[in-house]
Amino acid sequence: MKIEYLKKEKIGLVKIWGRLDGLNADILKEAVLAYLLETTSILIDCAELEYIDSVGLGALLAGLKKAVAAGGDIRLADVRPKVKMTLEITRVDQIFLSYDTVGSGVTSWI
Amino acid sequence: MKALISLREKDIGWVRETLGRFHPGMLPIANKPQVEYLIDFAILNGCSDVRIVMDELGRDLENYFGNGIRWGVRISYALSSCSDNIEQVIEKNSNFCADSSLLIMDGFFFIHYDKNKAYDIRAEILSQAMAVSCESGSVFYCSNIKELSSMIDIATEVDFSLSPLNSMDDVFQMTVQILDAEQEHYVLPGYGSAKEVLMGRNVELERNVQIRPPVIIGNNVRLGKNAIIGPHAAIGNDSVVDQETEVKESIVFPKSYLGVCLTLQKKIICGDKMFSVKEGEWLEIGEGFLLSQLNDLRIRPFFRKLVDRSAAFLLILLLFLPFYFLRTARLFQNDWIIRNKKYFRNAQGQHCQVKEVVPSCGTRSGRVFEKLSLDCFYKLFSAAAGKLDLVGNQPLEVNMYNMRRLQDFTFYSAGVFTYSKSEGLVLGSLEADITERFYAANKSILQDGRVLTRIMHSRFTVKNMEVEK
C-alpha cells in the first residue's frame, strides 16, 4: 500500500494505492492521525484503492472519529465498485460522505 | 412425447467460471434448480421420459434428480462432445429419440410457462418442427431429426416464452420477476405460510425477525435476531442470516453464512462471494465473519461427539501427571482454590456442574499450570463424559441474563477450549461475540482441531485477559 498526502488550502488530500487490510491498516491509521494535526478536513482519494477489509474500515473509522471530535470530517472520493460493495454491506457507506470525483469532494467543503 | 435437455459448455460455461460450486443446471432461480423448471415444463407437455445431455459429468445434478421418480418421469443422462451441435446430439441419442415426438430444450435459458395451462397438445399438431428461441437457447418440437432443418418459429403462437440466462444479472432479474408476479405459475419449493411468502422445512426464526413479502426461504435456514428479509429476497437452503442483517432485493445461494449487522440490497451471495447487480462486479470477501461458505450443516453428532470424547480422554491421560505435580506445588504455595459452577451446555438451556480451578495469584507453579492449559483439566472430564464440547463457545453461567442471551444464539454449545480465546479476544467484547457466533455456525471437526492448536500455541505467546461480567 502506498499513501500520498497533499494539503490544498485547508483540505488534506490523501491518496491510497493498493489494498487496505489487516497487514497495513495501522500504517494508514497512524498517517491519518498525523495529518489530522495539520487539518481536520481530509478527503481520501480512493481511485487506486483496490480492496478494503474490516480492519481497513476500522482504521478509516478511527480517523473519522478523531476528525469529528476536532470539528472536522473525513470524506471519500472516487470509490471503486468493489470497495463500494464492502462499504455498502457493512453500512459504513452511511457513515462517510462519498463523492464521485476528487473535485466534487473538494467542492463539498466550500 | 420425450424430452431431451441439452446443456453444453458453450452456453453454461459462464456459470462455472463465475461460481464453480455446482453444475450450472443446478443454478438456483427462486430456490429451484434451473433444470427443474425444464423438467416441469416437459411434464406439462406430457413427456414421460427425459434425457439430460451434458458435455461434462454433473454429479450434483445427477444426485439431485436421480432417476426422476420424485417427478414421476424417467430421467436418464448422457454425455456429448463439446463440438457436437444439436443434430449430432440427437443422432447420438437416437435410441432414446427414436419412435417418438420430441421436445428438445437446447441451451441455457428460463422458460416462462404457467403450470395451470395445458401444454400437451403440441404432439397432435406437429406437422413440422417448431421452435421458440431466445439468444441463449431454443425449445423445439419435432417428430424426427430431419425436421430440424426446416423449422418454423412459433414464438407468437404459444403461451410460453424464453428468457436468456447469460449473466448473473439475468438470474437476478428472473428471480425477482418470479417472486413479484409469477409465483403462482410454477411449483416452487416451500410452504405458503402467508401471501407471497414461501418457507421451507426446519426454518428457525429468532426474535423480531421481519419477513417482508415477496420472499422465498429454503430448508434448514436460520434467521438471527432482528434480521429483515425482503422484499424480493430468496434465501437458499442451509443458509444462515445472522442477527441485525437486512437482505433486500437479493439472492442468497445455498449454504451461505451472512454475518452480523450487514445490509444487502441488489446482491447475489454465493458463499464468500458477492455479486453486485448495480456495479456488475464480483467481490470475494476474505473475512468469514462477514460472508462465508457453510459446511454441510448436518454435522454427524454421534461421530463428532465420539471424536471430542476420545480427544478429551487423551488430553486427560497426557496432562494427568503434570496436573497432579503442579497441583501439589500450588497447594504448597497456598495458590489452590477450587470452585463449582453451573454453566449452560447448549441453546436448549441444558446445564451441567463443572469444577474449576480459580486462576493463579501469580506464583510460578500457577503460571506454568496455566501455560499447560491445566486450568481446564477438570472440564476435560465433562468433555469426556459428553457434557461439554472439547472446543466450543465460552461457557455461560446459569442465570437469567444468560438464559435470555441463549434465545438469540441457536448454535451455542459450551466448550472446554473456546473460540474467542483462540483469537486472543477480550471476553465480553463485540469482536468476541461475533467470533463466537461465527465459529459456532461453522462448526466442524477440522475447524475445532485448528482452534485447539491455536489455543495451545497462544498459551505460550499471548496472555489472555478475562473480563469479569
Side-chain angles (χ1 to χ4, degrees):
Chain A
M1 183 188 68
K2 193 174 106 178
I3 306 170
E4 203 176 76
Y5 174 72
L6 169 72
K7 194 170 171 194
K8 198 170 179 178
E9 288 169 27
K10 288 183 186 166
I11 301 164
L13 288 172
V14 178
K15 184 155 183 159
I16 307 173
W17 277 266
R19 295 168 61 95
L20 182 56
D21 56 23
L23 295 173
N24 51 36
D26 277 344
I27 300 170
L28 176 76
K29 188 175 163 185
E30 296 304 322
V32 167
L33 292 177
Y35 303 149
L36 283 170
L37 296 172
E38 289 186 39
T39 173
T40 55
S41 305
I42 291 184
L43 182 70
I44 299 182
D45 180 358
C46 302
E48 301 300 328
L49 178 61
E50 294 165 7
Y51 175 82
I52 189 168
D53 70 358
S54 58
V55 183
L57 288 173
L60 286 180
L61 287 166
L64 177 67
K65 199 173 164 184
K66 205 81 176 179
V68 167
D73 197 7
I74 292 182
R75 299 175 187 177
L76 307 177
D78 204 2
V79 182
R80 284 194 186 186
K82 290 198 177 189
V83 173
K84 207 180 271 186
M85 283 158 73
T86 307
L87 297 177
E88 276 174 9
I89 66 160
T90 55
R91 301 176 186 171
V92 171
D93 64 327
Q94 297 169 20
I95 299 171
F96 284 94
L97 286 170
S98 184
Y99 301 90
D100 289 338
T101 61
V102 171
S104 52
V106 168
T107 313
S108 70
W109 260 294
I110 299 167
Chain B
M1 184 176 261
K2 290 181 180 177
L4 188 135
I5 297 172
S6 174
L7 295 168
R8 287 179 285 159
E9 273 314 291
K10 67 175 181 64
D11 300 313
I12 62 177
W14 71 266
V15 181
R16 278 199 214 280
E17 281 162 20
T18 312
L19 298 173
R21 261 173 71 183
F22 38 73
H23 190 278
M26 296 298 293
L27 180 69
I29 298 173
N31 278 5
K32 178 163 158 154
Q34 182 264 346
V35 163
E36 196 171 345
Y37 288 97
L38 306 187
I39 291 175
D40 282 354
F41 183 68
I43 295 167
L44 284 174
N45 278 269
C47 298
S48 55
D49 282 88
V50 177
R51 175 157 289 185
I52 301 175
V53 183
M54 301 173 276
D55 291 352
E56 285 188 24
L57 287 173
R59 285 258 179 264
D60 49 344
L61 189 144
E62 289 184 46
N63 289 340
Y64 181 81
F65 290 105
N67 60 8
I69 193 167
R70 269 167 54 200
W71 290 268
V73 290
R74 281 182 294 273
I75 298 180
S76 55
Y77 305 88
L79 286 174
S80 66
S81 169
C82 301
S83 54
D84 286 343
N85 57 27
I86 190 62
E87 286 88 355
Q88 287 166 318
V89 168
I90 296 169
E91 201 163 330
K92 285 182 179 177
N93 291 275
S94 55
N95 280 347
F96 174 81
C97 301
D99 305 324
S100 180
S101 51
L102 291 173
L103 167 63
I104 302 165
M105 290 175 271
D106 176 35
F108 197 61
F109 48 81
F110 185 83
I111 299 185
H112 298 270
Y113 60 87
D114 188 341
K115 68 177 191 247
N116 301 306
K117 291 187 179 171
Y119 290 92
D120 57 351
I121 56 169
R122 304 287 162 229
E124 295 166 8
I125 62 170
L126 279 177
S127 55
Q128 64 180 109
M130 297 182 282
V132 177
S133 298
C134 71
E135 61 183 80
S136 63
S138 302
V139 171
F140 312 103
Y141 292 91
C142 66
S143 303
N144 62 67
I145 185 175
K146 293 189 184 69
E147 290 177 12
L148 289 181
S149 55
S150 57
M151 263 186 303
I152 56 166
D153 194 316
I154 55 167
T156 53
E157 299 168 37
V158 294
D159 44 14
F160 69 89
S161 61
L162 309 189
S163 286
L165 290 175
N166 285 327
S167 64
M168 293 310 295
D169 199 55
D170 291 338
V171 173
F172 177 82
Q173 299 303 337
M174 272 316 103
T175 303
V176 169
Q177 190 175 334
I178 291 169
L179 289 176
D180 227 355
E182 296 182 7
Q183 278 195 39
E184 301 296 318
H185 293 190
Y186 313 105
V187 175
L188 293 176
Y191 305 94
S193 59
K195 196 167 184 281
E196 296 184 314
V197 175
L198 284 170
M199 230 179 259
R201 298 185 312 273
N202 195 30
V203 174
E204 288 190 29
L205 283 77
E206 292 184 8
R207 265 188 309 146
N208 296 332
V209 169
Q210 291 181 52
I211 306 286
R212 297 176 180 169
V215 151
I216 184 165
I217 298 172
N219 300 328
N220 306 313
V221 167
R222 275 137 189 153
L223 303 175
K225 182 180 77 165
N226 296 326
I228 301 173
I229 309 298
H232 298 106
I235 312 292
N237 294 338
D238 303 317
S239 292
V240 175
V241 178
D242 219 327
Q243 54 183 337
E244 313 277 347
T245 287
E246 185 175 0
V247 181
K248 170 163 80 169
E249 293 177 89
S250 296
I251 302 170
V252 177
F253 280 177
K255 293 188 182 173
S256 298
Y257 170 79
L258 277 63
V260 170
C261 290
L262 303 179
T263 296
L264 277 82
Q265 184 169 9
K266 288 196 160 63
K267 304 284 191 293
I268 298 176
I269 305 299
C270 183
D272 60 354
K273 286 187 186 167
M274 173 172 65
F275 178 77
S276 169
V277 176
K278 200 168 75 175
E279 312 290 346
E281 297 244 12
W282 277 100
L283 176 66
E284 195 162 323
I285 301 279
E287 292 163 304
F289 61 85
L290 288 178
L291 297 174
S292 64
Q293 168 92 36
L294 280 175
N295 297 321
D296 193 339
L297 282 181
R298 286 174 288 118
I299 300 160
R300 296 183 188 87
F302 172 75
F303 180 69
R304 194 170 54 72
K305 273 284 177 211
L306 186 66
V307 170
D308 257 16
R309 291 169 82 158
S310 307
F313 187 65
L314 274 169
L315 280 170
I316 290 170
L317 290 176
L318 202 67
L319 299 174
F320 180 79
L321 280 174
F323 175 80
Y324 276 99
F325 176 74
L326 286 165
R327 174 182 171 268
T328 310
R330 283 184 73 174
L331 271 167
F332 190 71
Q333 290 176 298
N334 289 321
D335 182 23
W336 182 260
I337 304 172
I338 303 283
R339 62 187 175 195
N340 283 315
K341 273 202 166 167
K342 252 191 191 170
Y343 290 110
F344 284 116
R345 286 170 56 190
N346 52 39
Q348 288 71 48
Q350 291 175 319
H351 50 80
C352 62
Q353 186 127 319
V354 172
K355 219 193 250 185
E356 272 186 354
V357 181
V358 169
S360 164
C361 57
T363 59
R364 180 177 279 191
S365 56
R367 286 198 300 274
V368 175
F369 188 87
E370 283 165 12
K371 268 211 162 87
L372 295 175
S373 300
L374 295 174
D375 48 333
C376 300
F377 187 77
Y378 285 125
K379 285 186 191 161
L380 288 173
F381 286 92
S382 298
K387 291 181 188 169
L388 291 179
D389 288 349
L390 186 61
V391 180
N393 294 112
Q394 177 67 26
L396 297 175
E397 273 188 66
V398 174
N399 57 44
M400 286 309 296
Y401 172 77
N402 286 331
M403 181 173 272
R404 276 195 297 273
R405 280 177 75 184
L406 280 187
Q407 288 170 3
D408 305 325
F409 200 162
T410 320
F411 290 108
Y412 169 82
S413 185
V416 174
F417 301 101
T418 64
Y419 301 124
S420 43
K421 265 210 175 136
S422 76
E423 300 272 330
L425 294 170
V426 174
L427 296 169
S429 67
L430 176 64
E431 289 95 335
D433 191 41
I434 291 171
T435 301
E436 292 272 307
R437 285 172 183 277
F438 166 70
Y439 275 114
N442 287 275
K443 197 168 178 64
S444 71
I445 293 171
L446 205 60
Q447 177 190 268
D448 287 355
R450 281 199 286 260
V451 168
L452 191 59
T453 311
R454 227 182 358 245
I455 290 171
M456 294 301 174
H457 180 258
S458 71
R459 288 271 172 164
F460 292 93
T461 49
V462 174
K463 190 176 176 186
N464 282 330
M465 291 166 58
E466 291 218 38
V467 172
E468 289 290 328
K469 248 207 169 325

